Amino acid sequence: MTTMMMTEFVPADIDASTWENLQPYYQQLLDREFKCSGCLEQFLLDLSELDAAAYEAGSDLYIAMTCNTEDEDAKNGFLAFVETVEPELKKVGFELNKKVVTSPHVKDLDTQRYAVLLRNWFADVEIFRDENVPLQTEDTKLGQEYAELCGAMMVEFDGEEKTMPQMGVYQQDSDRAIREAAWRAVAERRLQDREKIDGMFDTMVKNRNQTAKNADFEDYRGYMFAVKHRFDYTPEDCIAFHSAVEQTCMPIVRKLAEERKTALGVDTLRPWDLAVDPHGHPPLKPFEDADELIEKTSKLFHRMDGELGEMFDTMRDGGHSLDLDSRKGKAPGGYQACRDRKRKPFIFMNAASLPRDLDTMVHEAGHAFHYMLCRHDDLVWYRGAPLEFAEVASMSMEMLSYPFLEEFYTSEETKRAIQKHLEGIVNFLPWCATIDAFQNWIYLNPDHTREERTAHWLELCKRFGSGVDWSGLEAEQEAEWHRQLHLFQVPFYYIEYGIAQLGALQMWLHYCNDSEAALASYKKGLALGSSKPLPELFENSGLKFDFTAQMVGTLMKAVEEALDQHA
Ligand SMILES: [Zn+2]
């Protein structure tokens, strides 16, 4: 145990992977009576530790499964948890939250300490409706059907059956004809399911609008702001962000597109010209294997900051906190997970010597630092942060690493890596605005037709487009949003990345001016976990929670200068 336990309610050796074992403890909490606010506080500590045990069991099972997908027991263990424990946790969690917020003693709790927690729980209780449960189940099911439909898409290419992710590599090919053929093969395959996906989405939108109505909201957007506990910014702020991106980011995006066109020596940029290195450079190779990645990443963080270096080393040396190498049977992707009872982070990835893997390493390390800095909090719900800030912790590390990338690259290669990373940011913001603006329109116009939806999508493509030539590819462009899974599976979840990116860019500028002060405020903000509202988390990290054109403009100007410098 890394921290002192404030409760002995949950036995240290409980096997929290089954509902049978957890249920008696949750029942005790349901039955407990509150005589004073002190009882309530003890109750919160006990519930926190019990939740931590359950979360950790879920994390451990997930880690075991992803580290070896060929292990049937591991897979079954995780699935059993998802099917039998998680739904019960959700139900009992809601009952317990309700018990707390409806207690007469809640008004005597320390408002500083519990404000964020109570604000969230009050909202959850207030918007809950029994009749929405089946609608939400239906929504999840449709989301899964969408995922299955996309997962089943295969194309015949290069003499082989290939998945959509496998087709991605051809977009890096220096041969334009190969890129075009691969791009068309993928787009044609997607279009085969266009009707089906549009139909699925129609049903989802209808259900979602009904969910909002049932909960007495005017529209689904308002409902989702409450669901996502977005109390610190408004839909209007998001709309201001869209305009800010349009005004200040788009000129750079269009300039970069022009430069790309010239470098590639083509008349117009086509959709298959966007991912290839325009100068014909061979791909970068920052490291050979996971051991080298760990060794060099440790050096990178030690050079950035002694304390962060030490923290990274505790993960390396602390036993089973890193699983980085790519091997047969491992699940794809990368993630950072928390083990909430031990209060230890865990990083998973498939390091294949690609620059992207290095980005993932420092990104996930940022999440792990965040967890290590706030794990002292007794309340499990405060050990972590909303995505708008959690991603500041990780995205900042990507940018603060710039001066130390020479651990992995020659100075020439470092320039290229930084250039590419900055371009990625500039190109992401318009896409983020597009997806968010599209969702705004969809749910504010609940009775729209498919034709109107397509028309609005095309309007947004024009507003946030870089001048790519789609002629002859009209149907492909109209259905482009079908590949953005967030629209289907996690509605309204996307703007968070844009907001966090603004935070990370500010952190980077601060770091360029005064690295020591920036790192101190980075740690100060992260140490708060989610115990404070978003603007305070930003403020404590020396950042402004500001989406206006003035802020975005300042950041874009700095990015443009850095791009010129690294060109
Ligand atoms: Zn992240």
Side-chain angles (χ1 to χ4, degrees):
M1 230 29 82
T2 50
T3 23
M4 202 175 62
M5 290 261 285
M6 304 294 285
T7 164
E8 286 171 2
F9 176 63
V10 190
D13 61 352
I14 187 175
D15 169 9
S17 65
T18 70
W19 181 240
E20 203 186 354
N21 293 347
L22 287 166
Q23 194 274 340
Y25 294 95
Y26 279 106
Q27 191 59 50
Q28 281 184 51
L29 291 175
L30 283 170
D31 296 340
R32 200 183 287 182
E33 271 177 52
F34 303 141
K35 297 194 182 70
C36 61
S37 64
C39 304
L40 203 49
E41 284 198 271
Q42 188 57 48
F43 173 91
L44 289 170
L45 287 173
D46 292 348
L47 173 59
S48 169
E49 196 57 27
L50 186 55
D51 276 353
Y55 300 163
E56 178 163 313
S59 279
D60 281 342
L61 290 166
Y62 183 70
I63 290 168
M65 177 188 69
T66 51
C67 287
N68 186 3
T69 54
E70 287 164 3
D71 181 342
E72 282 297 314
D73 289 344
K75 188 177 149 191
N76 293 335
F78 178 70
L79 289 181
F81 189 85
V82 169
E83 280 160 19
T84 62
V85 182
E86 278 184 355
E88 297 294 340
L89 286 175
K90 219 171 150 183
K91 264 188 265 171
V92 78
F94 177 74
E95 288 307 320
L96 290 165
N97 291 1
K98 196 160 98 183
K99 184 178 165 83
V100 170
V101 301
T102 54
S103 160
H105 302 293
V106 78
K107 62 180 190 323
D108 301 321
L109 287 175
D110 176 355
T111 46
Q112 281 294 319
R113 171 69 177 146
Y114 295 102
V116 173
L117 188 72
L118 293 175
R119 183 174 78 165
N120 294 348
W121 288 7
F122 266 116
D124 295 343
V125 170
E126 210 168 82
I127 63 177
F128 180 84
R129 298 290 184 278
D130 272 324
E131 63 268 34
N132 276 341
V133 175
L135 285 174
Q136 279 150 349
T137 309
E138 168 84 5
D139 197 57
T140 308
K141 264 196 201 151
L142 284 166
Q144 277 163 355
E145 274 173 42
Y146 163 82
E148 276 166 30
L149 201 65
C150 295
M153 289 180 186
M154 302 285 285
V155 290
E156 177 84 22
F157 199 76
D158 221 1
E160 272 179 67
E161 280 279 291
K162 296 202 185 274
T163 63
M164 297 289 140
Q166 283 168 341
M167 289 300 289
V169 294
Y170 294 103
Q171 291 310 304
Q172 318 257 358
D173 202 295
S174 57
D175 186 336
R176 198 183 195 199
I178 292 179
R179 296 200 302 272
E180 176 174 353
W183 192 92
R184 284 182 184 273
V186 167
E188 270 161 32
R189 177 61 191 85
R190 287 192 179 282
L191 281 180
Q192 285 175 20
D193 287 329
R194 184 177 177 185
E195 281 294 310
K196 227 188 257 175
I197 292 178
D198 261 317
M200 237 178 226
F201 196 67
D202 288 340
T203 315
M204 286 177 161
V205 171
K206 201 170 143 258
N207 281 352
R208 288 169 185 173
N209 291 328
Q210 189 57 48
T211 310
K213 250 188 221 137
N214 290 346
D216 304 310
F217 280 84
E218 223 169 276
D219 53 59
Y220 186 66
R221 180 179 72 178
Y223 172 75
M224 284 308 282
F225 264 66
V227 168
K228 297 177 132 316
H229 301 150
R230 290 181 182 172
F231 306 115
D232 302 310
Y233 60 98
T234 63
E236 289 68 36
D237 292 328
C238 298
I239 287 162
F241 170 78
H242 308 158
S243 314
V245 169
E246 185 179 15
Q247 285 170 45
T248 67
C249 189
M250 290 320 295
I252 308 176
V253 169
R254 295 192 176 115
K255 191 177 93 180
L256 288 172
E258 276 302 313
E259 287 171 9
R260 168 170 283 271
K261 196 173 83 180
T262 311
L264 283 171
V266 294
D267 295 338
T268 59
L269 275 185
R270 303 286 274 163
W272 45 84
D273 293 327
L274 307 178
V276 63
D277 186 299
H279 303 285
H281 291 302
L284 295 172
K285 191 175 186 189
F287 58 91
E288 290 291 336
D289 56 24
D291 288 340
E292 191 185 340
L293 174 63
I294 295 172
E295 195 50 44
K296 290 182 169 176
T297 305
S298 167
K299 270 196 203 147
L300 179 154
F301 283 125
H302 275 282
R303 281 180 61 193
M304 187 190 295
D305 179 77
E307 194 186 349
L308 294 182
E310 294 289 324
M311 284 164 73
F312 183 79
D313 290 349
T314 62
M315 296 197 64
R316 180 186 60 183
D317 306 330
H320 206 59
S321 289
L322 299 173
D323 190 326
L324 309 182
D325 57 328
S326 184
R327 56 170 191 272
K328 187 170 172 283
K330 219 170 141 173
Y335 64 82
Q336 192 270 142
C338 317
R339 289 164 299 169
D340 277 310
R341 269 209 114 182
K342 287 191 276 297
R343 305 198 192 187
K344 280 188 174 173
F346 177 82
I347 297 179
F348 173 97
M349 62 181 280
N350 283 275
S353 316
L354 300 174
R356 195 186 55 207
D357 300 327
L358 173 54
D359 294 343
T360 305
M361 177 79 261
V362 291
H363 179 99
E364 302 305 338
H367 285 309
F369 294 150
H370 197 176
Y371 186 69
M372 288 188 260
L373 286 162
C374 70
R375 65 182 166 192
H376 58 270
D377 202 303
D378 293 321
L379 299 178
V380 69
W381 315 287
Y382 283 166
R383 303 201 286 264
L387 269 157
E388 293 90 338
F389 188 69
E391 291 296 320
V392 174
S394 52
M395 289 175 169
S396 293
M397 279 299 123
E398 293 177 33
M399 305 196 79
L400 269 48
S401 298
Y402 289 171
F404 316 107
L405 290 180
E406 291 187 9
E407 291 292 336
F408 294 88
Y409 299 125
T410 66
S411 60
E412 206 43 51
E413 290 172 336
T414 299
K415 275 188 170 188
R416 261 166 67 197
I418 295 174
Q419 175 95 5
K420 191 154 186 240
H421 192 263
L422 289 168
E423 284 188 18
I425 293 171
V426 173
N427 286 318
F428 172 72
L429 290 175
W431 182 252
C432 179
T434 304
I435 295 298
D436 193 59
F438 191 47
Q439 305 205 66
N440 267 279
W441 183 88
I442 285 168
Y443 298 104
L444 291 186
N445 296 277
D447 302 316
H448 65 258
T449 63
R450 280 189 205 179
E451 291 70 30
E452 287 166 335
R453 189 162 71 212
T454 302
H456 188 72
W457 172 253
L458 292 177
E459 218 173 278
L460 289 170
C461 289
K462 216 184 248 167
R463 196 174 157 204
F464 296 106
S466 60
V468 170
D469 176 7
W470 286 83
S471 49
L473 303 166
E474 284 73 18
E476 285 83 349
Q477 189 178 23
E478 285 168 13
E480 208 200 351
W481 59 273
H482 283 186
R483 70 183 167 88
Q484 189 65 52
L485 78 94
H486 297 72
L487 296 169
F488 298 86
Q489 291 192 315
V490 275
F492 276 102
Y493 166 31
Y494 213 61
I495 190 81
E496 289 89 338
Y497 287 99
I499 295 172
Q501 190 64 70
L502 300 185
L505 283 163
Q506 290 180 65
M507 185 68 76
W508 169 62
L509 286 190
H510 190 188
Y511 185 79
C512 294
N513 280 327
D514 184 343
S515 59
E516 227 166 280
L519 284 165
S521 52
Y522 174 82
K523 291 180 206 165
K524 186 178 168 213
L526 267 55
L528 293 170
S530 55
S531 64
K532 298 287 172 203
L534 277 173
E536 283 183 53
L537 297 178
F538 271 69
E539 201 179 300
N540 275 280
S541 306
L543 313 171
K544 287 207 174 86
F545 192 64
D546 176 352
F547 320 163
T548 59
Q550 199 191 359
M551 171 57 82
V552 184
T554 307
L555 298 173
M556 286 305 111
K557 198 164 159 273
V559 170
E560 198 175 10
E561 282 169 14
L563 277 168
D564 288 341
Q565 204 183 12
H566 291 96

